[in-house]
Amino acid sequence: MTALLTAGCALGVVALTLKAGEGSHSALDTGLSTTTGFLFLLAGAVAHVRRPANPIGVLITLAGVALFLEDLQFTQSPVLYTIAVPLRAASSPVIAHLVLAFPHGRLRSRWERLLVAAAYLVVLGSGVVGLLFGDDPRDLLAISPGAGSGAVADRVLDVGATAISAGVIVVLLYRWLTGRLPQRRLLSPVVVIALAGALTSGAGTALGDAHPLSEPLLQAYRILFCLWPLAFLAGVLRARVGNAEMVRLLLERDGTGLAALVQDDEVWKDSRSIDALNAAAGLVLDNQRLTAELEQRLAEVRASRARLVAAADDERRRLERDLHDGAQQRLVSVVLLLRMAGRRSGSEQLPPEIRALLAGAVDELQTAITELRELARGIRPAILTEAGLVAAVRSLADRSPMEVALAVGAVPRLDAAVEATAYFVTSEALTNALKHARTERADVRIAVTGAGLRIEVTDAGVGGADVGGSGLAGLRDRVQALGGELCVTSGPGGTTVAAVIPLDAEKP
């Protein structure tokens, strides 16, 4: 590419000098042709910088170089003239190749390859014929000079160029009409310039050189031809990588393959667009990794909370056993010993104040035993372990000072952690209703719904319950540790404490 640009700039200066010194071309013609050549070089350089893997930039630059090569025929040097004659229309096949290869950089069908091959063959072949049978004294290879042979070669070149141009336009229009929106967007400037140039050139040829509109049409064609490189440059600048344009595009990040995007159409390999896609795919990958890590940590937190709940239940069972088998049994033994001591001493032999002290001690011990039993039952009632959730809740409702309406569905024996959590939710909700609701009735509903156990305790009290309180907050943590949810709805019409606990709660 660097060699092409260097050669093109040098040839541009030489061509401008030769054409201006030849004297038969107007300043407008010379300026337009020179400007067109340098615009091709500029457009090719921009296309190559934006998409170095796509050969379209090289083709655009080559069109500028070929355009300058055509002007070498105006030299006075026989050697240079002999080299330049076969290249007197060198830009035509290159531009035909460029139009058919745009924007992918290569020919995709057999008809396109045949058209391009025919263009090169006709132009170069007619140039060689003109060189061999030319009558210019600068022609060193003329073997049979004659004006008739040169005119025939020129005629063949014109006819062949017209036919090939028509074929190129037909293929271009077909691709534009059948292409997708991104392809149409890229081809639109090229199609417009091609059609306008074909119309002006064809109209000028049909009218003939003597017609007054022939020269204006020729100038219009030259101006349109000058817009060719701008049309290609516009396509280069407007090209974007889209879903419909991708083909075998491998995204990589940090040396690791992320994704392969495959579609029907080919793509301009835009390094900046690929970098943007890499960045986007990297963000997706990072988000997925962070999500996986977060889910893993949440699972660890749930497992940790479940272990804490299980440890608390184990400690409750240990305390309940210790109270039942230890302190409670000792207090019962003390009561029996005091009663035995009173009977052996004889009630009539003891002073009244001693008998009163013994009776008071026995009563206090009985009260302590009752309170200790209630404390052990509150820690973890034995009936919950022995008979299950329904029996434990019925016992809780029977002991409650207020009326409790119990509605229990078909609830089988469940996991110990689920049963304990459901029992404590019911117990805490009834205790709060008794202390704060100022009501004499509560409704308790327990049922298995789907894959969860639902507990709902409702009262018609004054409301004002807050899940942020220590009791309900602890219950919520306990329910969430098993993967469930606890909801408290409280207002002037009463309070509802509802909890749903999964039946398949993870065991620690």
Side-chain angles (χ1 to χ4, degrees):
M1 188 65 189
T2 303
L4 278 176
L5 289 173
T6 303
C9 292
L11 285 172
V13 174
V14 173
L16 176 60
T17 304
L18 293 176
K19 202 166 187 178
E22 196 263 345
S24 62
H25 296 81
S26 65
L28 179 60
D29 182 19
T30 303
L32 284 176
S33 63
T34 304
T35 302
T36 303
F38 280 107
L39 284 177
F40 270 115
L41 298 180
L42 176 62
V46 173
H48 183 75
V49 169
R50 285 182 62 86
R51 294 165 180 83
N54 194 318
I56 201 68
V58 175
L59 281 175
I60 297 174
T61 306
L62 191 59
V65 173
L67 193 63
F68 288 137
L69 285 174
E70 294 178 355
D71 293 338
L72 295 181
Q73 61 183 312
F74 303 117
T75 182
Q76 297 302 318
S77 170
V79 175
L80 192 57
Y81 177 82
T82 303
I83 297 173
V85 168
L87 303 175
R88 56 183 175 174
S91 64
S92 298
V94 177
I95 291 178
H97 188 178
L98 172 61
V99 170
L100 295 178
F102 186 83
H104 313 296
R106 65 182 182 86
L107 304 172
R108 298 185 298 171
S109 69
R110 184 178 62 179
W111 291 109
E112 293 177 356
R113 289 189 286 271
L114 286 175
L115 275 175
V116 171
Y120 282 110
L121 181 62
V122 168
V123 171
L124 296 179
S126 62
V128 171
V129 171
L131 179 65
L132 295 177
F133 298 96
D135 56 356
D136 194 294
R138 294 171 294 176
D139 188 352
L140 300 179
L141 296 180
I143 58 176
S144 179
S149 301
V152 171
D154 291 339
R155 185 61 178 170
V156 171
L157 176 61
D158 291 339
V159 173
T162 302
I164 291 170
S165 298
V168 170
I169 291 177
V170 169
V171 173
L172 188 61
L173 283 175
Y174 176 78
R175 287 172 53 191
W176 188 86
L177 292 173
T178 60
R180 298 178 181 177
L181 182 60
Q183 186 178 16
R184 291 185 179 183
R185 178 168 52 83
L186 297 180
L187 292 178
S188 293
V190 178
V191 171
V192 170
I193 298 298
L195 290 177
L199 290 175
T200 55
S201 177
T205 303
L207 293 175
D209 296 337
H211 198 278
L213 293 179
S214 178
E215 185 62 25
L217 288 174
L218 180 59
Q219 295 300 332
Y221 172 75
R222 290 170 178 169
I223 294 174
L224 289 171
F225 190 78
C226 186
L227 296 178
W228 267 111
L230 299 180
F232 292 115
L233 182 60
V236 170
L237 296 178
R238 293 177 63 187
R240 293 186 180 93
V241 174
N243 288 337
E245 299 171 297
M246 296 180 185
V247 59
R248 299 177 183 177
L249 179 59
L250 178 63
L251 302 182
E252 295 186 356
R253 187 182 186 202
D254 300 330
T256 303
L258 296 181
L261 307 178
V262 180
Q263 291 291 338
D264 295 336
D265 296 337
E266 295 189 24
V267 65
W268 282 64
K269 296 178 175 58
D270 187 347
S271 58
R272 292 185 296 177
S273 299
I274 294 177
D275 291 341
L277 286 173
N278 277 331
L283 289 176
V284 172
L285 186 65
D286 290 340
N287 288 336
Q288 290 179 344
R289 183 177 65 250
L290 291 175
T291 301
E293 292 177 356
L294 180 60
E295 291 177 351
Q296 181 181 2
R297 293 187 179 183
L298 285 176
E300 293 175 354
V301 169
R302 292 193 188 101
S304 176
R305 294 172 69 178
R307 287 193 295 270
L308 291 176
V309 170
D313 285 342
D314 292 341
E315 186 64 18
R316 286 173 183 271
R317 284 192 290 269
R318 186 187 67 79
L319 288 175
E320 190 269 335
R321 287 194 302 269
D322 291 345
L323 290 175
H324 182 272
D325 299 336
Q328 185 178 330
Q329 295 300 325
R330 289 191 178 89
L331 289 177
V332 171
S333 300
V334 172
V335 171
L336 294 176
L337 289 174
L338 289 176
R339 287 177 177 175
M340 186 182 299
R343 287 195 299 269
R344 288 184 178 181
S345 300
S347 302
E348 63 281 353
Q349 297 179 4
L350 293 175
E353 60 275 11
I354 298 299
R355 289 199 301 272
L357 287 175
L358 287 176
V362 171
D363 291 340
E364 289 295 327
L365 287 173
Q366 290 286 10
T367 303
I369 291 172
T370 300
E371 292 178 351
L372 194 58
R373 284 174 179 169
E374 292 294 331
L375 177 62
R377 188 179 292 112
I379 291 175
R380 185 182 178 91
I383 190 174
L384 179 63
T385 304
E386 296 169 0
L389 176 63
V390 175
V393 172
R394 290 188 187 278
S395 175
L396 181 65
D398 293 339
R399 296 195 314 271
S400 177
M402 64 179 178
E403 181 183 356
V404 178
L406 183 61
V408 180
V411 180
R413 289 304 303 268
L414 304 173
D415 181 75
V418 174
E419 289 187 339
T421 301
Y423 176 82
F424 288 124
V425 168
T426 307
S427 176
E428 182 67 23
L430 290 176
T431 301
N432 287 343
L434 183 62
K435 290 181 179 180
H436 309 294
R438 302 175 189 174
T439 183
E440 296 180 354
R441 177 183 172 85
D443 296 323
V444 177
R445 288 180 288 276
I446 301 176
V448 175
T449 57
L453 176 67
R454 182 176 180 83
I455 308 99
E456 189 174 296
V457 180
T458 304
D459 65 67
V462 297
D466 182 14
V467 74
S470 59
L472 291 177
L475 285 178
R476 181 181 59 184
D477 293 341
R478 183 184 181 102
V479 171
Q480 290 179 349
L482 298 180
E485 291 293 335
L486 184 139
C487 177
V488 177
T489 304
S490 185
T495 300
T496 299
V497 178
V500 177
I501 306 171
L503 298 180
D504 57 348
E506 293 186 2
K507 300 180 180 61

